[in-house]
């Protein structure tokens, strides 16, 4: 037989495009359309429904950037259509771009009842099937004219459209046709048949019989279609395809669990307020689709998004609640938002689960067993313990498939965290969290699945996401045809819980991956938008303080514990940890609002702290120092207050031979040369120099930074190939007990204050940068005379080790990584730490010198200047605080990290001291939270963890609370019935902790 394969395939493509798809709507009639627009914030639905409208015709521009228009759409179903299926096709001016990144709409009935959302792949509204003829139709459409930031087809191009203040007022869209149309279900099903078979055929081996069997059936179907009467011949064409569609899949076929999904970024290329509407549009679509498709199941994560629905669109929320009760709309993941997991601190990461799971329990009576994070930019090694402590035991993500250097070896595996906790983890091999159920995607999932031979199933999150939209009727139809189809993986709609249960049952002993799940991409998200990151860190620290002092004051003085305020503030901080806000990858509008929000929250938290401390000290003139850190310092106990002992004094600078200054407190001698660089940091106790010979610390380095794509997200390895040391000094002087260094470069200026405390072995560096660079990367370098093959960086409830060498591609790929409060390097007997109060990104490298010694260089990442999606990223003034701690152990690094982030407060009052509410007698056991129980029963909740990486025993005491009735709990403060109760001795609780183990204790009042 002659090979006519390409001829038939090309014929299929043209006939579908030009004849069959257009025949889905064989008859149409125009609708009348009127419009009312507002350039400001969206108005309430009730206001939009009655707003005065004016006629608008197809082809008319509409919609200023970020504006809202209300369309009034009316018409009459022609009488001759009686007995037929009819729907409206409503084109707001959609472009071929994917849904979620352009104009969108939510259709309402005249009384305000939401019907469904509109986007370019889902622009229909059902009228009836069948209709009687003569029906009047009337809808009101709330349409968002959100600008498409890549409308010109060029990705990552700087644009002013990311903020209403700079976007201008030019109309963004041109109104398309709005028509009533007959819906020919037979033709629509023929389209689905041909698309599924055509897509499947393209994935099958050319030399395989199944491909040719499908090709011949498709050829017969095309022969059966009268191109001048597609509607009249569609049934016959479908008959030619029935046989190949009915052939069952092989018994060994890969099994795909499809989960309806719309991964909606809580902010990204749109502001938070627009996400509220995206969620309403998508939820309306999905509840409508659930009513139409009995097998369909939809999952939505992010409790915040449900809370938005409850607050802003209660009528949509009511439909969601009913679908949840029916088991078909699944609250997934149990987190407040799909947060970044690298940068949130220990308590914040825990509270993501606390607030998310509690919302789902209280609203729906549902507790998710999985963490659902398909799009998060890598996963910190402390996360498994947090997932387990929250009552979950599984994780789903897809993002690691984006890694650019190494191919992750598993799709289903057990992930082990720093404390030894393991969670069952799945990476969907479809390699997308926006699966469209195409033949190519499903075939890729089957081919790509790395567990062949030991496991058979994977999950496919199916639907348009990022900007929302969800699953479409076409995706459901394609899944139905692939439920049992030879040549394809089998597809079945299932809940995440059902998938995980089956996956675990067939693969009870999967391989284990130990340590962080590092994404070899998007490394610059650890640095971009420095003010957002500072706001997050400060918010976390102030919340820790507010809970500590408010609980102490409530227990001691009857101070009103601010449950409502803390709950609201925590949720706001957690929202801003979403994986496009905290990482700095959102538009300017998002970060402008974030800065204002963080400032407002800080003011509220400062007021709570001040009120609690005032209640504790009373009126008087004594000056006390409150120490919120988990370690005693300067004679002040952790979590208490005592008289100030002068620990804040600084060693006085003295002139240095050859220029510069010396800072010496008898413990540490710092030499600062005439360039303002630290050329010596001598540990007098150890008799050891910290700075590598011939090199200088406190060295600012500036690199070009123009990644190949994803400007705000990425820093590519080649940035290190060029750069310069900023050694020119514009001023060197003494100011307030510190050495003041001033530099100028490009259009920017830097002022640094270097000081050594009178009684601590630490160099403090306070850096203020007035930053006006573009596409540059600023680093702060510390070349240390340490032979370290690995280094420690703090993560949630502990620290993670990374190699300093690059023996393998896995190690090379980690050229930029995350730390929280410290990075620590050491060799046997001596180490050093670099601590910070607001930065996350860093790199650590090693070189061997000519003298045979090894230099290990720690560099903190300070600032970037990408131009997309915010062309003014980080322009302006920033402040950073770092400290170099020579001679530091890991324990010293932990202590100094908390000191930098939880500074003491001086308060005047009548009390002689404030005893800590909670004490722990081992510095290796760190208290991360002291608070009153969320159920408002008055119990005390204390969370501690082992911070040094070894086993630790400690006795915990709580003043005014009954340790005899203390119980171990999960993160939601529910008794942990599987845990051994802590031993008791001398009125305290004896804790025996594994390395990095975290425990939560609940203690009732005495």
């Amino acid at each position: 037989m002659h090979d006519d394969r390409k001829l038939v395939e090309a014929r299929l493509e043209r006939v579908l495009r030009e004849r069959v798809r257009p025949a889905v709507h064989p008859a149409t009639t125009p609708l009348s359309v009127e419009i009312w627009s507002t350039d400001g914030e969206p108005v309430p639905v009730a206001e939009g429904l009655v707003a005065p409208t004016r006629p608008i015709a197809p082809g008319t521009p509409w919609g200023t950037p970020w504006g809202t228009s209300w369309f009034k759409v009316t018409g009459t179903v022609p009488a001759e259509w009686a007995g037929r299926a009819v729907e409206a096709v409503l084109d707001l001016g959609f472009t071929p771009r994917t849904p979620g990144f352009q104009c969108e709409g939510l259709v309402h009935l005249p009384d305000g009842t939401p019907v469904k959302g509109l986007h370019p792949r889902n622009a229909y509204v059902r009228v009836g099937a069948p209709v009687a003829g003569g029906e009047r139709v009337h809808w009101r459409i709330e349409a968002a004219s959100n600008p498409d930031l890549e409308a010109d087809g060029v990705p990552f191009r700087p644009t002013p459209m990311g903020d209403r203040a700079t976007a201008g007022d030019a109309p963004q869209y041109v109104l398309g046709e709005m028509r009533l149309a007959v819906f020919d279900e037979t033709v629509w099903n023929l389209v689905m048949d041909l698309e599924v078979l055509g897509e499947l055929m393209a994935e099958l081996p050319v030399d395989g019989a199944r491909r040719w069997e499908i090709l011949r059936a498709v050829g017969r179907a095309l022969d059966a279609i009268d191109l001048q009467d597609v509607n009249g011949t569609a049934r016959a064409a479908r008959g030619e395809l029935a046989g190949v569609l009915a052939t069952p899949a092989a018994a060994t076929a890969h099994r795909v669990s499809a989960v309806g999904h719309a991964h909606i970024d809580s902010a990204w290329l749109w502001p938070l307020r627009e996400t509220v509407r995206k969620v309403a549009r998508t939820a309306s679509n999905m509840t409508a689709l659930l009513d139409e498709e009995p097998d369909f199941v939809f999952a939505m994560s992010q409790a915040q998004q449900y809370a938005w629905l409850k607050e802003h669109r209660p009528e949509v929320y009511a439909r969601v609640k009913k679908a949840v009760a029916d088991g078909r709309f699944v609250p997934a993941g149990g987190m407040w938002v799909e947060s970044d997991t690298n940068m949130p601190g220990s308590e914040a990461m825990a509270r993501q689960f606390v607030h998310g799971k509690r919302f789902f329990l209280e609203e729906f009576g549902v507790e998710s067993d999985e963490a659902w994070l398909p799009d998060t930019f890598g996963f910190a090694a402390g996360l498994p313990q947090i997932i387990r402590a929250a009552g979950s035991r599984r994780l789903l993500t897809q993002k690691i498939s984006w890694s650019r250097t190494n191919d992750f070896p598993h799709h289903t595996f057990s992930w082990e965290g720093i404390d030894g906790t393991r969670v069952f983890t799945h990476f969907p091999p479809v390699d997308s969290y926006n699966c469209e159920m195409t033949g190519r995607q499903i075939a890729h999932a089957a081919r790509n699945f790395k567990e062949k031979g030991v496991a058979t199933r994977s999950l496919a999150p199916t639907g348009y996401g990022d900007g929302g939209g969800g699953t479409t009727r076409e995706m459901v139809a394609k899944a139905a045809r692939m439920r049992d189809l030879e040549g394809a993986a089998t597809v079945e709609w299932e809940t995440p819980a059902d998938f995980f249960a089956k996956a675990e049952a067939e693969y009870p002993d999967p391989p284990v991956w130990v340590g962080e799940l590092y994404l070899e991409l998007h490394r610059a998200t650890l640095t971009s938008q420095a003010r957002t990151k500072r706001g997050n860190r400060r918010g976390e620290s102030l919340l820790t303080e507010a809970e500590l002092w408010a609980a102490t004051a409530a227990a001691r003085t009857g101070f009103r514990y601010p449950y409502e305020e803390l709950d609201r503030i925590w949720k706001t901080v957690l929202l801003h940890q979403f994986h496009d806000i905290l990482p700095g990858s959102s538009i300017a509008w998002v970060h402008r609002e974030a800065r204002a929000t963080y400032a407002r929250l800080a003011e509220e938290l400062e007021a709570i702290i001040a009120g609690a401390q005032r209640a504790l000290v009373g009126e008087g003139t004594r000056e006390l120092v409150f120490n919120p850190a988990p370690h005693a310092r300067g004679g002040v106990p952790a979590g208490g207050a005592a008289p100030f002992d002068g620990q804040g004094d600084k060693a006085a600078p003295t002139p240095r031979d050859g220029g510069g200054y010396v800072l010496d407190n008898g413990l540490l001698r710092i030499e600062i040369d005439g360039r303002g660089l630290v050329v010596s940091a001598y540990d007098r106790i150890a008799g050891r120099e910290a700075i590598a010979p011939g090199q200088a610390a406190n060295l600012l380095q500036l690199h070009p930074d123009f990644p190949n794509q994803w400007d705000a997200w990425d820093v590519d390895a080649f940035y290190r190939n060029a750069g310069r040391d900023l050694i020119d000094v514009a001023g060197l002087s003494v100011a307030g007990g510190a050495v003041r260094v001033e530099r100028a470069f490009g259009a920017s200026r830097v002022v640094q204050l270097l000081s050594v405390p009178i009684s601590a072995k630490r160099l403090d560096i306070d850096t203020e940068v007035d930053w006006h660079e573009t596409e540059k990367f600023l680093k702060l370098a510390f070349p240390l005379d340490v032979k370290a093959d690995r280094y420690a960086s703090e993560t949630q409830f502990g620290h993670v080790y990374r190699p300093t060498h690059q023996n393998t591609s896995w190690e090379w790929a980690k050229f930029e990584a995350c730390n929280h409060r410290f990075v620590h390097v050491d060799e046997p007997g001596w180490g050093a730490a670099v601590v910070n109060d607001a930065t996350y990104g860093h790199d650590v490298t090693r070189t061997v010198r000519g003298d045979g010694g090894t230099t290990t260089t720690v560099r903190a990442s300070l600032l970037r200047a990408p131009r997309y999606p915010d062309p003014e990223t980080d322009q302006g003034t920033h402040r950073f605080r770092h400290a170099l701690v020579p001679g530091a152990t890991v324990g010293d690094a932990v202590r100094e990290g908390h000191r930098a982030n939880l500074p003491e407060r001086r308060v005047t009052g009548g009390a002689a001291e404030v005893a800590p509410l909670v004490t722990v007698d081992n510095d290796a056991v760190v208290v991360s939270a002291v608070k009153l129980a969320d159920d408002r029963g008055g119990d005390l909740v204390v969370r501690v963890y082992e911070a040094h990486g070894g086993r630790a025993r400690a006795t915990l005491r709580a003043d005014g609370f009954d340790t005899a009735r203390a119980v171990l709990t999960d993160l939601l403060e529910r008794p942990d019935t599987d845990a051994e109760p802590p031993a008791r001795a001398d009125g305290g609780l004896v804790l025996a902790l594994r390395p990095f183990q975290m425990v939560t204790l609940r203690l009732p009042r005495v």
Side-chain angles (χ1 to χ4, degrees):
M1 181 176 286
H2 296 295
D3 185 353
D4 61 348
R5 175 177 59 83
K6 292 182 180 179
L7 187 69
V8 175
E9 291 171 354
R11 181 188 181 196
L12 169 62
E13 192 278 330
R14 185 178 184 191
V15 170
L16 259 176
R17 181 183 69 248
E18 297 186 18
R19 293 291 190 272
V20 183
R21 290 193 187 103
V24 170
H25 295 123
T28 67
T29 187
L31 291 159
S32 297
V33 185
E34 299 181 5
I35 188 173
W36 173 80
S37 298
T38 175
D39 298 335
E41 286 300 283
V43 300
V45 171
E47 184 177 339
L49 292 172
V50 300
T53 55
R54 58 175 175 80
I56 183 172
T60 303
W62 70 276
T64 58
W66 306 110
T68 299
S69 295
W70 280 84
F71 290 93
K72 177 182 178 181
V73 180
T74 58
T76 302
V77 177
E80 61 267 27
W81 290 1
R84 307 189 72 176
V86 174
E87 62 188 27
V89 181
L90 307 173
D91 182 1
L92 295 173
F94 299 125
T95 72
R97 277 263 286 162
T98 190
F101 298 91
Q102 53 180 290
C103 57
E104 303 172 64
L106 180 55
V107 181
H108 301 77
L109 296 177
D111 65 0
T113 302
V115 179
K116 68 185 295 289
L118 298 177
H119 63 68
R121 313 286 171 83
N122 195 342
Y124 71 91
V125 176
R126 282 291 177 91
V127 175
V131 296
E135 292 95 336
R136 285 285 297 169
V137 295
H138 181 179
W139 296 291
R140 295 295 182 104
I141 305 170
E142 181 192 31
S145 50
N146 302 329
D148 184 346
L149 272 66
E150 296 179 7
D152 60 3
V154 180
F156 317 120
R157 176 175 289 176
T159 172
M161 304 304 289
D163 197 329
R164 191 172 57 195
T166 57
D169 57 5
Q172 296 294 290
Y173 297 98
V174 175
L175 186 66
E177 297 285 342
M178 292 200 175
R179 308 181 72 87
L180 286 176
V182 171
F183 176 71
D184 190 325
E185 188 170 3
T186 301
V187 174
W188 182 83
N189 276 301
L190 176 60
V191 171
M192 295 298 99
D193 293 345
L194 289 171
E195 286 188 359
V196 167
L197 290 171
E199 291 165 359
L200 172 61
M201 182 169 58
E203 300 302 317
L204 294 172
V206 174
D207 58 357
R210 177 61 171 167
R211 179 160 182 164
W212 289 90
E213 181 184 40
I214 294 173
L215 184 81
R216 296 303 169 213
V218 167
R220 292 192 300 271
L222 296 176
D223 291 341
I225 297 172
D226 182 342
L227 297 184
Q228 278 66 53
D229 185 17
V230 173
N231 300 88
T233 55
R235 192 174 303 279
R238 291 199 73 202
E240 296 295 340
L241 301 173
V244 291
L245 285 168
T247 307
T252 56
H254 183 67
R255 290 178 279 188
V256 173
S257 296
V259 179
H261 191 46
H263 162 70
I264 301 178
D265 288 312
S266 288
W268 179 25
L269 303 181
W270 46 87
L272 288 166
R273 65 90 151 145
E274 192 55 35
T275 313
V276 175
R277 301 200 295 177
K278 286 177 176 288
V279 173
R281 291 189 283 260
T282 299
S284 297
N285 266 344
M286 295 304 93
T287 52
L289 191 61
L290 288 168
D291 290 341
E292 297 170 8
E293 300 290 349
D295 294 332
F296 177 56
V297 175
F298 182 76
M300 187 170 93
S301 66
Q302 305 191 78
Q304 171 69 84
Q305 296 188 358
Y306 290 84
W308 279 332
L309 278 181
K310 182 180 180 181
E311 177 183 358
H312 297 282
R313 297 310 301 256
E315 65 278 46
V316 178
Y317 189 64
R319 286 160 54 177
V320 168
K321 287 200 77 168
K322 180 182 182 303
V324 172
D326 293 341
R328 300 182 60 213
F329 196 115
V330 181
M335 294 175 69
W336 190 248
V337 295
E338 289 181 14
S339 73
D340 181 83
T341 76
N342 286 311
M343 290 176 282
S346 303
E347 279 304 309
M349 201 72 253
R351 305 302 172 93
Q352 286 285 353
F353 287 90
V354 169
H355 287 283
K357 297 197 80 167
R358 184 171 289 133
F359 184 93
F360 288 162
L361 282 165
E362 292 176 352
E363 291 292 318
F364 309 120
V366 168
E367 182 165 9
S368 301
D369 203 24
E370 74 285 333
W372 184 275
L373 291 163
D375 190 29
T376 295
F377 308 152
F379 300 88
L383 190 57
Q385 178 174 208
I386 297 171
I387 293 172
R388 281 282 192 174
S392 298
R393 57 194 183 89
R394 297 157 170 166
L395 168 68
L396 179 134
T397 185
Q398 177 273 325
K399 200 68 172 187
I400 300 300
S401 70
W402 286 39
S403 286
R404 293 292 173 84
T405 305
N406 297 285
D407 190 18
F408 196 81
H410 313 296
H411 282 112
T412 302
F413 61 99
S414 185
W415 179 29
E416 182 179 316
I418 55 174
D419 74 313
T421 298
R422 294 180 177 180
V423 293
F424 187 83
T425 302
H426 180 67
F427 293 173
V430 71
D431 282 350
S432 174
Y433 48 79
N434 296 325
C435 175
E436 298 177 37
M437 203 49 63
T438 66
R440 173 175 293 181
Q441 289 173 319
I442 299 306
H444 174 75
R447 286 194 299 264
N448 189 38
F449 187 56
K450 291 183 170 62
E451 273 60 56
K452 297 183 188 75
V454 290
T456 65
R457 63 182 68 246
S458 67
L459 186 145
T462 302
Y464 294 114
D466 291 323
T471 317
T472 65
R473 62 183 178 183
E474 289 78 13
M475 296 174 193
V476 175
K478 289 184 175 185
R481 285 160 174 77
M482 289 186 283
R483 184 179 182 91
D484 190 13
L485 179 63
E486 184 186 356
T490 64
V491 178
E492 183 177 4
W493 295 105
E494 291 192 299
T495 67
D498 287 342
F499 162 75
F500 272 112
K502 293 176 181 178
E504 282 188 288
E506 75 170 4
Y507 203 22
D509 190 24
V512 177
W513 181 270
V514 178
E516 66 183 329
L517 293 169
Y518 180 92
L519 177 64
E520 297 171 354
L521 191 72
H522 293 357
R523 302 167 182 89
T525 58
L526 303 172
T527 305
S528 296
Q529 298 286 0
R531 293 187 192 91
T532 298
K533 291 170 170 58
R534 173 168 288 281
N536 173 74
R537 182 75 69 84
R538 187 180 182 209
E540 291 179 347
S541 298
L542 289 174
L543 276 162
T544 297
E545 267 203 89
E547 289 182 338
L548 167 65
W549 302 129
T552 305
R556 299 270 174 74
T557 73
F559 177 79
R560 183 188 71 83
Y561 191 81
Y563 291 103
E564 294 86 356
E565 295 92 331
L566 291 173
D567 180 79
R568 172 178 49 78
I569 294 171
W570 262 119
K571 287 174 179 174
T572 305
V573 169
L574 298 178
L575 165 61
H576 286 79
Q577 291 177 342
F578 178 75
H579 65 252
D580 277 307
I581 303 179
L582 179 55
S585 47
S586 288
I587 56 174
W589 188 341
V590 173
H591 292 289
R592 171 173 54 80
E593 289 190 330
R595 292 191 293 272
T597 298
Y598 284 130
R600 185 182 70 250
L601 297 183
E603 186 175 342
E604 288 190 71
L605 290 167
E606 291 283 6
I608 292 171
I609 292 166
Q613 292 178 338
R614 175 60 54 202
L616 286 166
V617 301
E619 297 297 326
T621 59
R622 292 192 182 97
E623 185 177 69
L624 296 181
V625 171
F626 277 80
N627 175 16
H631 307 94
R633 59 190 182 200
V636 184
F644 182 64
D645 70 351
Q647 63 168 334
D649 293 345
K650 301 171 184 176
T654 60
R656 173 181 176 268
D657 292 342
Y661 295 92
V662 174
L663 301 169
D664 194 335
N665 65 358
L667 305 172
L668 179 65
R669 186 178 190 274
I670 300 293
E671 291 190 35
I672 302 164
D673 71 5
R675 302 169 298 171
L677 301 177
V678 176
V679 292
S680 174
Y682 187 74
D683 178 354
R684 288 187 175 278
I685 304 302
R688 169 75 180 259
E689 175 61 56
I691 308 302
Q695 299 193 50
N698 188 44
L699 175 63
L700 290 166
Q701 297 178 308
L702 190 67
H703 295 273
D705 184 20
F706 189 64
N708 289 344
Q709 57 181 350
W710 297 107
D711 295 43
W713 293 257
D714 282 359
V715 55
D716 289 332
F718 54 73
Y719 89 91
R720 297 175 296 183
N721 297 345
R724 62 189 178 102
D725 296 342
L726 302 179
I727 60 175
D728 294 337
V729 63
L732 186 64
S733 60
V734 174
V739 175
R740 185 180 188 274
V741 183
E742 188 174 350
R743 303 188 194 280
F745 58 95
S748 304
R749 295 185 70 83
V750 176
V751 174
Q752 291 184 301
L753 296 175
L754 282 67
S755 61
V756 171
I758 198 69
S759 58
K761 196 166 56 173
R762 180 182 78 236
L763 169 65
D764 290 328
I765 303 170
D766 190 326
T767 303
E768 184 174 282
V769 186
D770 186 15
W771 179 248
H772 297 284
E773 304 307 299
T774 299
E775 295 166 350
K776 296 290 191 296
F777 196 5
L778 184 64
K779 292 266 189 174
L780 180 63
F782 299 87
L784 303 173
D785 189 11
V786 178
K787 184 182 184 302
D789 294 328
R790 65 175 189 171
Y791 73 96
S793 62
E794 188 184 35
T795 189
Q796 293 98 3
F797 298 114
H799 53 267
V800 62
Y801 286 103
R802 299 186 184 97
T804 59
H805 55 76
Q806 298 178 352
N807 284 354
T808 70
S809 59
W810 295 88
E811 293 152 355
W812 175 85
K814 294 182 180 181
F815 59 81
E816 185 78 5
C818 182
N819 74 99
H820 286 183
R821 287 168 288 213
F822 70 80
V823 169
H824 180 261
V825 298
D826 68 356
E827 59 187 40
W830 195 86
V834 175
V835 304
N836 74 84
D837 76 334
T839 57
Y840 296 93
H842 70 277
D843 67 88
V844 179
T845 56
R846 66 194 295 274
T847 58
V848 176
R849 306 186 299 267
D851 64 2
T854 299
T855 299
T856 300
T857 301
V858 177
R859 296 200 305 168
S861 302
L862 301 189
L863 289 165
R864 299 183 67 238
R867 301 182 64 214
Y868 181 89
D870 176 4
E872 298 297 319
T873 300
D874 277 335
Q875 300 300 296
T877 303
H878 304 266
R879 189 175 181 186
F880 306 95
R881 293 184 179 90
H882 291 83
L884 173 63
V885 191
T889 64
V890 164
D892 295 328
V894 171
R895 183 190 68 249
E896 291 297 332
H898 282 100
R899 176 206 57 77
N901 286 266
L902 294 166
E904 65 272 4
R905 294 172 182 270
R906 303 185 192 186
V907 180
T908 301
E913 64 177 7
V914 176
L917 193 61
V918 173
T919 61
V920 176
D921 64 0
N922 185 343
D923 275 357
V925 178
V926 169
V927 177
S928 70
V930 176
K931 60 188 289 292
L932 295 191
D934 290 344
D935 64 10
R936 308 189 184 190
D939 291 355
L940 183 70
V941 172
V942 181
R943 191 154 26 253
V944 302
Y945 68 100
E946 195 289 315
H948 294 183
R951 294 182 180 272
R953 292 180 64 85
T955 300
L956 181 148
R957 292 181 172 83
D959 181 36
F961 291 87
D962 189 354
T963 56
R965 292 187 292 148
V967 295
L968 291 169
T969 74
D970 65 6
L971 291 178
L972 276 70
E973 301 167 9
R974 303 173 296 192
D976 184 349
T977 56
D978 295 330
E980 289 289 330
R984 296 169 178 84
D986 300 327
L989 299 172
V990 178
L991 304 176
L993 301 182
R994 303 185 309 271
F996 302 130
Q997 183 183 3
M998 174 263 290
V999 298
T1000 304
L1001 295 144
R1002 182 168 180 151
L1003 299 86
R1005 293 294 293 267
V1006 173

